[in-house]
Amino acid sequence: MFDDLPPDLDRLHTLRVWHTMWLQRIDAKIAALARRQTEEERGHRNRPAPPEWIIELGIGERRPPLQIHTGDCHMAGKRHRPVDRDEARRLLATGHKACGHCRPDSLLGITDLSSNPAPTAATARRSNTHIAWLIIHIRGRYTPAADVEAGTGQPQKLFTTTRSTWSSTCT
């Protein structure tokens, strides 16, 4: 049998004391981590719910309201206060700006006051076509005379499916 322990009694007692101290340290660390974990769980359970609506406040003595956000919007600044649904609707109706990220005006049913209307499908198609046209014409990759390939009578391909051609067109 493999025995790597010392043969004398003094050194065995020393090892026993040493390992007892280590077990106490390990037990203390386990207890501390268990306490911390239960405190975190208690904190998560007892955390108040975020407000439904908040208003971002300006700088200065009066701190005027700047923008209305939903309660969980991460775009809201550090200076804000909670407001109820009626006050948020009133502030939007009086001309205060709605956050363009969380869109509280849409959630509150005040779509006609939106400063950033959602694009329609037709607008998006028109926008994409316009962007492609600008890329080709400004970069000089396309000329009206090159619409039809020489002798074939077929329109030229504006975009190819290869990644290198697309990236060279856009650069």
Side-chain angles (χ1 to χ4, degrees), residues 17-36:
V17 170
W18 175 258
H19 286 286
T20 304
M21 288 177 7
W22 268 102
L23 282 175
Q24 289 172 350
R25 287 183 65 193
I26 291 171
D27 289 342
K29 183 71 170 190
I30 289 172
L33 288 175
R35 276 193 310 272
R36 183 177 178 180

Side-chain angles (χ1 to χ4, degrees), residues 1 3 26 32 34 57 62 84 94 97 116 118 123 131 147:
M1 179 167 120
D3 190 14
I26 291 171
L57 302 172
R62 292 179 157 217
D84 61 358
T94 57
K97 193 174 178 185
N116 300 326
T123 308
I131 290 170
D147 269 348

Side-chain angles (χ1 to χ4, degrees), residues 23-151:
L23 282 175
Q24 289 172 350
R25 287 183 65 193
I26 291 171
D27 289 342
K29 183 71 170 190
I30 289 172
L33 288 175
R35 276 193 310 272
R36 183 177 178 180
Q37 187 175 7
T38 57
E39 288 171 1
E40 286 177 1
E41 289 171 359
R42 187 179 323 124
H44 287 296
R45 278 194 313 268
N46 296 337
R47 178 177 291 158
E52 192 174 4
W53 312 101
I54 58 174
I55 184 155
E56 187 175 351
L57 302 172
I59 301 173
E61 184 179 320
R62 292 179 157 217
R63 295 172 38 151
L66 298 177
Q67 245 182 352
I68 291 80
H69 298 271
T70 58
D72 59 351
C73 180
H74 66 273
M75 297 298 285
K78 291 183 180 181
R79 296 176 312 276
H80 61 268
R81 66 175 172 86
V83 293
D84 61 358
R85 183 179 187 87
D86 294 332
E87 187 175 357
R89 290 178 60 86
R90 182 184 58 77
L91 289 168
L92 285 170
T94 57
H96 286 85
K97 193 174 178 185
C99 173
H101 181 72
C102 63
R103 306 295 302 260
D105 50 350
S106 299
L107 295 173
L108 288 167
I110 307 177
T111 56
D112 56 335
L113 297 177
S114 176
S115 60
N116 300 326
T120 62
T123 308
R125 275 193 306 275
R126 191 175 30 214
S127 173
N128 289 343
T129 305
H130 182 69
I131 290 170
W133 183 87
L134 280 174
I135 290 171
I136 293 169
H137 281 75
I138 291 174
R139 303 283 179 163
R141 305 264 197 281
Y142 171 65
T143 61
D147 269 348
V148 178
E149 290 182 6

